[in-house]
Amino acid sequence: MSRPEIQVKDLRKSFGDNEVLRGIDLEIGSGEVVCVIGPSGSGKSTLLRCVNLLEEPTGGRVLVGGTEVTDPDVDIDAVRRRIGMVFQQFNLFPHLSVTENLTLPQRRVLGRDKAEAAKVAAENLARVGLSEKADAYPASLSGGQQQRVAIARALAMGPEVMLFDEPTSALDPELVGDVLAVMRRLANEGMTMMVVTHEMTFAREVADRVVFMDAGVIVEDGTPEQVIGNPGNERTRHFLSRLLDPAMADVEEEGPGRADRVDRGDRGPN
């Protein structure tokens, strides 16, 4: 692996008595694309949010680009400038145009002047194929277009790492492809990416590695061919069989009172 851009060491996170992350160890190299998969409640999104300290870990360490994010004395704002994050929801300001949504954080956080911020905004709108929407407002855009604007906004900050938290889960199926195409281009450009996703085709085609999580631990970590194509763990096989062929799921397993359902429901945030 290339130089680690993200290092997670014995990461733990609890919400009250509920331990959501139970000693996670993970490294992601510079330019590497890692997809994190697993059932709801497995800790995927919590892990992602701990990387840029949107969730404060209960224990363990996180380093980004060699800087310890979890150090109490760290300048977290400086670290976050190096990390772009795209959420399930687009979080665009509805009263601002697309260009204004991209220029505002540049001017406020990076101190760029209006002309420079507008130039960077235009460059990144072109990267996501939305140059013609520069003067549009979010309400006039489809969900897929709004998510691509959100990606462009993150890119305009010049991040070294991009985190994606199920970026297509809120989209209608026909809009997913355009967003994934943008993410493919970023991967081809060498962007370091950590992606929580249920899009198995994307994970197969784009990821360098796939990490399968369940019950707050990493169960498998390997190439897409290993983890998706030939999983070695029964929990991974069970998850993928239900995800890839839901019609084959055992109806009985969805019935009330099943211990595994109760366990997943009690784990807290994803």
Side-chain angles (χ1 to χ4, degrees), residues 13-218:
K13 175 63 181 177
S14 296
F15 295 94
D17 294 332
N18 182 16
E19 191 175 22
V20 177
L21 299 178
R22 308 179 183 187
I24 300 293
D25 290 297
L26 179 66
E27 288 193 353
I28 298 176
S30 179
E32 200 174 21
V33 178
V34 174
C35 285
V36 183
I37 65 173
S40 296
S42 59
K44 308 182 303 294
S45 292
T46 300
L47 169 60
L48 199 74
R49 293 171 67 86
C50 283
V51 170
N52 64 356
L53 226 60
L54 290 178
E55 293 286 359
E56 189 165 343
T58 307
R61 303 170 66 208
V62 176
L63 294 88
V64 177
T67 300
E68 184 175 349
V69 177
T70 43
D71 184 335
D73 297 324
V74 74
D75 183 348
I76 190 59
D77 291 331
V79 175
R80 284 182 179 146
R81 291 187 196 112
R82 297 158 55 187
I83 305 172
M85 183 143 185
V86 178
F87 300 88
Q88 296 178 31
Q89 302 299 326
F90 323 122
N91 300 323
L92 301 177
F93 292 111
H95 62 291
L96 299 181
S97 71
V98 165
T99 293
E100 289 167 337
N101 266 281
L102 268 67
T103 56
L104 181 65
Q106 294 183 65
R107 297 178 68 185
R108 288 195 174 176
V109 177
L110 302 180
R112 290 173 178 160
D113 62 34
K114 186 174 181 179
E116 183 184 7
K119 178 176 180 290
V120 173
E123 290 170 351
N124 283 286
L125 284 176
R127 289 175 78 182
V128 302
L130 288 176
S131 295
E132 76 283 1
K133 299 294 184 181
D135 297 323
Y137 284 80
S140 70
L141 305 178
S142 70
Q145 289 171 332
Q146 290 187 61
Q147 190 62 293
R148 286 153 65 195
V149 170
I151 294 173
R153 178 181 58 189
L155 293 172
M157 304 298 286
E160 299 166 17
V161 171
M162 286 286 288
L163 309 178
F164 294 88
D165 189 4
E166 300 200 36
T168 60
S169 65
L171 302 179
D172 291 333
E174 67 270 21
L175 302 177
V176 168
D178 289 341
V179 173
L180 294 181
V182 168
M183 294 171 66
R184 282 188 180 91
R185 286 200 293 273
L186 291 178
N188 290 336
E189 292 170 8
M191 176 65 73
T192 304
M193 297 164 58
M194 184 175 177
V195 185
V196 171
T197 186
H198 283 107
E199 298 289 344
M200 290 301 105
T201 300
F202 176 84
R204 280 182 186 273
E205 295 177 358
V206 180
D208 297 296
R209 285 164 49 218
V210 174
V211 170
F212 172 68
M213 290 184 63
D214 191 25
V217 299
I218 291 176

